[in-house]
């Protein structure tokens, strides 16, 4: 049983650049600054409280500042790549491109709970009390790999190209009405709204690209075009650059020896490997066997079944391969069977609720996954953001303002998934599913669930690309068949799967929404009405609900952490009681396996294991384990 990726591939995040380490989207900044007419410049910001590290910090606590530089780390990728253009939403960008680029600011790994951000390309930022604009001051030491300075003009150009070429980026930054270069190496973003505390920070995530390189000519004298895909290794600014590659097979990044940002506090003790290699595997079963054969070094095992059964081989038993679990405290998720609400048959919430009654999580978890997984009961599973009990306090006040627009159960009943696990429970749940479907207008006729208006059997095509997903799909399909629903299991290759999801050409599919600990503007892309009909948005289900739009605004415009929590819980509760999805499962542990050649700091960051960002090649361990092949 596959629990899904902790950090979904770029198409599901609607971000073109594949990042070396997935960082949470920041929201609700609480900048500590003097209340003056002209805002003061600050080296760091935090969503709540005060940033941990001051302007004189030399390095962060979660790194080994004396970590040795050298060695190789080999990682894997599935799906291949056909472009190095990091901003186009179409095409398959190479893994690891984020290694090549720095951002204006970056979040510390041990302050995810307050999302403290520190300068990289920008050495300071400021904004006014009404959050109507933000200015970033470019670090005069910032350089591209060709030695030319990174400028405010590069930032403005990169932003303009991002919203011009990428519909998801245009939507995400729709409140930014102006980006301009000011004297003194300053870039300014202006907004069409006030009070959105997240906006001054999310613009720091813009992928900054070298305008002079993209508007120049290649080795053949041909003009480059950022509006098209390319396999010409691009110019970057980050700690790595492309050394070699074979399209759809492998890519090697080499550490930049004169990297301009090496001594930045947020960079000290990081990016320690001389080379980072990605090998492409088009089949996940082959990928696992390749790990066992020492063809790459590290994997996060997302299948509970494989974690419990697939790692009994000699290298594990003799210690050359290490299995290690890390508590996942830094992210949340909703993973679910997602019916496409754009299809008429899924528009009645009673039909969607019936689909949940047909899903026997408990039996599948026991048989397939050794009871290692937990049932998802929140759109923010794994965090303290999920709704529990009955609403009270500020959450209740928010929900009361929408009474009549939201399900009545929101006020009277705590949301709980149906519980299976034994034949009696399963029979009871299936009977309840039939009642709901009958109430929605369907009828059983000779063991077939029929739509009386059309005379056709209710049919669901389940779309997937990973054959291992069948371990969970088959028992669910069997239960659906038992109540008269015809199921079609449709396996396609990954590019076709991505295209069909993005163009909304599916009945039902397993999809994942990753959540940070500080939700904000991205919720519009997940559940907002405006995103429902926009291809490549993450509103996969097609949710259009004015009450949910209002709740999203309460999240986005929350004035403090208390209001953020209340608004998020309210949003969670209303999403759940609309039965938009059939929640699946998650794990609150990151289960990792590695060939034992690597060291890590004694004090690891609280919210992530951060491999390989803060790890290093350990010569002594490698000597015992064997040289990299």
């Amino acid at each position: 049983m596959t629990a899904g990726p902790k950090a979904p591939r770029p198409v599901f995040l609607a971000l073109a650049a594949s990042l070396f380490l997935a960082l949470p989207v920041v929201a609700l900044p609480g900048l500590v600054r003097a209340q003056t007419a002209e805002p003061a410049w600050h080296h760091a910001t935090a969503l709540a409280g005060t940033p941990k590290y001051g302007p004189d910090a030399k390095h962060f606590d979660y790194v080994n500042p004396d970590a040795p530089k050298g060695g190789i780390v080999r990682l894997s990728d599935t799906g291949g790549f056909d472009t190095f253009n990091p901003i186009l939403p179409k095409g398959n960008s190479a893994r690891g491109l984020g290694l090549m680029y720095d951002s204006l600011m970056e979040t510390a790994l041990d302050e995810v709970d307050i999302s403290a951000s520190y300068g990289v390309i920008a050495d300071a930022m400021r904004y006014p009390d009404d959050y109507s604009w933000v200015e970033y001051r470019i670090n005069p030491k910032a350089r591209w790999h060709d030695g030319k300075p990174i400028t405010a003009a590069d930032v403005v150009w990169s932003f303009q190209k991002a919203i011009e070429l990428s519909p998801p980026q245009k939507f995400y930054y729709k409140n930014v009405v102006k980006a301009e270069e000011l004297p003194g190496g300053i870039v300014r973003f202006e907004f069409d709204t006030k009070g959105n505390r997240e906006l001054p920070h999310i613009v720091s995530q813009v992928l900054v690209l070298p305008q002079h390189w993209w508007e120049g000519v290649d080795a053949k004298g041909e003009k480059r075009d950022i509006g098209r895909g390319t396999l010409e290794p691009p110019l970057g600014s980050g700690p790595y650059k492309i050394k070699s590659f074979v399209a759809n097979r492998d890519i090697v990044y080499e550490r930049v020896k004169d990297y301009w940002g090496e001594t930045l506090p947020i960079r000290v003790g990081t990016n320690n490997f001389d080379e980072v290699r990605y090998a492409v595997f088009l089949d996940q079963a082959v990928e696992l066997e390749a790990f066992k054969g020492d063809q790459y070094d590290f994997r996060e095992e997302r299948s509970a079944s494989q974690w419990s059964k697939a790692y009994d081989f000699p290298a594990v038993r003799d210690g050359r391969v290490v299995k290690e679990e890390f508590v996942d405290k830094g992210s949340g998720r909703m993973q679910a069977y997602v019916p496409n609400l754009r299809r008429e048959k899924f528009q009645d919430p009673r039909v969607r609720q019936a689909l949940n009654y047909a899903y026997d999580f408990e039996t599948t978890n026991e048989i397939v996954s050794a009871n290692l997984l937990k049932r998802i009961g929140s759109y923010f599973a794994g965090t303290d953001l999920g709704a529990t009990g009955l609403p009270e306090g500020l959450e209740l006040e928010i929900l009361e303002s929408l009474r009549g627009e939201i399900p009545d159960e929101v006020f009277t009943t705590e949301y709980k998934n149906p519980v299976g696990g034994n034949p009696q429970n399963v029979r009871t749940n299936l009977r309840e599913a039939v009642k709901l479907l009958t109430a929605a207008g369907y009828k059983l006729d000779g063991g077939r669930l029929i739509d009386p208006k059309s005379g056709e059997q209710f049919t669901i095509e389940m779309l997937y690309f990973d054959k291992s997903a069948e371990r969970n799909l088959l028992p669910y399909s069997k239960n659906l068949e038992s109540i008269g629903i015809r199921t079609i299991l449709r396996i396609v290759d990954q590019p076709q799967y991505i295209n069909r999801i993005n163009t909304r050409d599916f009945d039902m599919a397993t999809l994942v929404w990753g959540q940070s600990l500080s939700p904000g503007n991205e919720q519009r892309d997940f559940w907002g009405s405006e995103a429902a009909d926009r291809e490549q948005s993450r509103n996969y289900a097609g949710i259009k609900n004015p009450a949910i739009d209002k709740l999203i605004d309460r999240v986005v415009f929350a004035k403090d952490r208390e209001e953020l929590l209340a608004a998020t819980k309210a949003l969670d509760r209303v999403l759940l009681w609309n039965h938009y999805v059939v929640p699946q499962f998650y794990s609150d542990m990151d289960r990792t396996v590695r060939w034992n050649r690597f060291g890590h700091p004694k004090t690891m960051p609280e919210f992530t294991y951060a491999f390989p960002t803060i790890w290093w090649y350990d010569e002594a361990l490698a000597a015992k384990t064997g040289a990299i092949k």
Side-chain angles (χ1 to χ4, degrees), residues 3-67:
K6 288 287 179 184
R9 286 302 300 269
V11 64
F12 299 121
L13 289 176
L15 295 174
S18 50
L19 301 178
F20 189 51
L21 178 64
L23 296 176
V25 178
V26 296
L28 295 174
L31 182 63
V32 178
R33 55 191 171 86
Q35 300 299 309
T36 60
E38 186 69 14
W41 291 99
H42 286 266
H43 78 291
T45 65
L47 304 190
T50 303
K52 177 179 179 180
Y53 301 100
D56 298 325
K58 301 300 182 185
H59 63 82
F60 291 178
D61 292 346
Y62 54 80
V63 302
N64 173 7
D66 300 316

Side-chain angles (χ1 to χ4, degrees), residues 277-555:
R277 301 176 180 176
Y278 285 91
V280 173
F281 300 93
L282 300 182
D283 183 279
Q284 294 191 10
V286 173
E287 182 184 20
L288 173 59
E289 293 306 312
F291 175 80
K292 294 179 181 179
D294 197 8
Q295 294 184 37
Y296 62 97
D297 295 306
F298 181 94
R299 60 186 275 122
E300 182 180 332
E301 184 51 76
R302 303 183 184 103
S303 166
S305 175
Q306 290 186 168
W307 178 259
S308 62
K309 301 173 183 178
Y311 293 98
D312 184 16
F313 58 95
V316 174
R317 293 194 291 269
D318 64 24
R320 287 177 295 140
V321 167
V322 176
K323 292 177 68 178
E324 186 169 4
E325 293 180 308
F326 298 88
V327 177
D328 181 5
K329 298 174 62 177
S331 64
R333 69 196 286 104
M334 166 54 82
Q335 175 174 307
Y337 291 116
V338 180
N340 185 354
L341 273 64
R342 302 166 187 86
R343 307 273 166 96
E344 183 179 356
K345 59 189 171 186
F346 296 123
Q347 290 177 5
D348 191 316
R350 292 169 295 189
V351 170
R352 304 192 297 267
Q353 187 178 11
L355 298 178
N356 197 9
Y357 271 101
Y359 178 44
D360 180 11
F361 161 76
E362 288 76 17
T363 299
T364 308
N365 188 35
E366 179 182 2
I367 294 174
V368 177
S369 303
N371 284 322
L372 292 174
L373 299 174
K374 297 182 178 181
R375 184 78 194 270
I376 286 178
S378 166
Y379 280 72
F380 302 87
T383 75
D384 64 352
L385 298 166
T388 57
L390 294 178
E392 57 186 23
L394 181 56
E395 181 194 354
L396 179 59
E397 180 182 326
I398 292 170
L399 292 169
E400 284 287 2
S401 70
L402 296 171
R403 190 181 282 272
E405 301 179 56
I406 56 181
D408 292 338
E409 294 90 339
V410 163
F411 300 99
T412 62
T413 310
E414 181 179 10
Y415 179 87
K416 296 286 186 183
N417 286 307
V419 177
N422 61 60
Q424 180 179 353
N425 285 353
V426 172
R427 285 194 297 270
T428 299
N429 289 341
L430 292 177
R431 283 196 294 267
E432 186 63 30
V434 171
K435 289 180 183 178
L436 287 164
L437 291 165
T438 302
Y442 293 90
K443 68 177 183 179
L444 278 173
D445 183 1
R448 299 163 68 241
L449 188 71
I450 301 298
D451 180 355
K453 292 181 291 185
S454 66
E456 297 180 353
Q457 184 178 10
F458 195 112
T459 302
I460 301 176
E461 181 187 76
M462 295 181 166
L463 189 68
Y464 61 107
F465 66 90
D466 177 7
K467 191 170 179 61
S468 67
E470 292 174 1
R471 291 193 293 264
N472 193 49
L473 278 169
L474 287 171
Y476 185 36
S477 173
K478 182 179 178 180
N479 284 352
L480 291 171
E481 294 276 0
S482 74
I483 58 174
I485 296 176
R486 178 175 176 242
T487 59
I488 301 170
L489 303 187
R490 182 76 67 197
I491 186 169
V492 297
D493 61 33
Q494 190 171 11
Q496 185 179 353
Y497 177 86
I498 292 170
N499 182 64
R500 288 189 61 177
I501 295 298
N502 280 342
T503 59
R504 315 314 189 197
D505 180 20
F506 69 97
D507 273 355
M508 181 181 283
T510 293
L511 295 163
V512 182
W513 291 269
Q515 295 282 6
S516 79
L517 300 184
S518 296
N521 284 268
E522 75 287 343
Q523 304 301 309
R524 291 171 169 165
D525 195 45
F526 291 177
W527 335 111
S529 298
E530 189 176 346
D533 294 327
R534 181 169 50 81
E535 287 191 7
Q536 301 178 10
S537 81
R538 288 169 286 178
N539 189 343
Y540 308 121
I543 296 170
K544 288 184 177 180
N545 187 323
I548 286 175
D549 293 337
K550 294 173 185 176
L551 288 170
I552 292 172
D553 280 346
R554 287 299 299 260
V555 171

Side-chain angles (χ1 to χ4, degrees), residues 81 84 94 230-233 242-252:
F81 63 92
F84 294 142
T230 180
L231 283 174
E232 179 187 8
I242 295 174
K243 178 181 180 180
S244 63
F245 72 95
V246 177
N248 281 322
R249 180 176 174 182
D250 59 58
I251 184 168
V252 178

Side-chain angles (χ1 to χ4, degrees), residues 151-310:
T151 67
D154 285 319
V155 178
V156 172
W157 181 83
S158 298
F159 175 79
Q160 292 171 341
K161 288 300 178 182
I163 61 174
E164 172 190 339
L165 300 173
S166 174
Q169 294 289 291
K170 183 177 181 179
F171 180 78
Y172 189 59
Y173 292 117
K174 67 177 184 178
N175 294 117
V176 182
V177 293
K178 188 176 184 181
E180 64 176 331
E181 178 186 8
L182 300 180
I186 294 171
V187 59
R188 180 184 176 103
F189 296 92
E190 296 183 1
F191 313 128
D192 64 1
T193 186
K194 297 179 180 180
N196 186 335
R197 300 164 68 95
E198 184 184 32
L199 283 175
H201 288 251
I202 63 174
V203 291
S204 75
Q205 301 164 1
V206 171
L207 188 67
V208 182
L209 301 173
Q211 180 180 4
H212 70 281
W213 189 87
W214 282 99
E215 292 186 342
V217 296
D218 61 20
K220 298 179 181 179
E222 297 177 355
K223 186 173 177 59
R224 300 185 181 98
D225 182 359
I226 197 169
R228 301 175 61 184
T230 180
L231 283 174
E232 179 187 8
L235 181 70
S237 62
Y240 289 88
K241 61 183 179 181
I242 295 174
K243 178 181 180 180
S244 63
F245 72 95
V246 177
N248 281 322
R249 180 176 174 182
D250 59 58
I251 184 168
V252 178
Y253 297 90
E254 63 179 344
R255 187 163 55 86
V256 176
K257 297 299 191 293
D258 59 349
Y259 169 50
W260 75 271
E262 188 75 22
T263 60
L264 292 174
I266 202 167
R267 290 284 184 261
V268 172
T270 70
N271 303 305
N272 299 312
F273 295 94
D274 280 348
E275 288 187 5
V276 179
R277 301 176 180 176
Y278 285 91
V280 173
F281 300 93
L282 300 182
D283 183 279
Q284 294 191 10
V286 173
E287 182 184 20
L288 173 59
E289 293 306 312
F291 175 80
K292 294 179 181 179
D294 197 8
Q295 294 184 37
Y296 62 97
D297 295 306
F298 181 94
R299 60 186 275 122
E300 182 180 332
E301 184 51 76
R302 303 183 184 103
S303 166
S305 175
Q306 290 186 168
W307 178 259
S308 62
K309 301 173 183 178

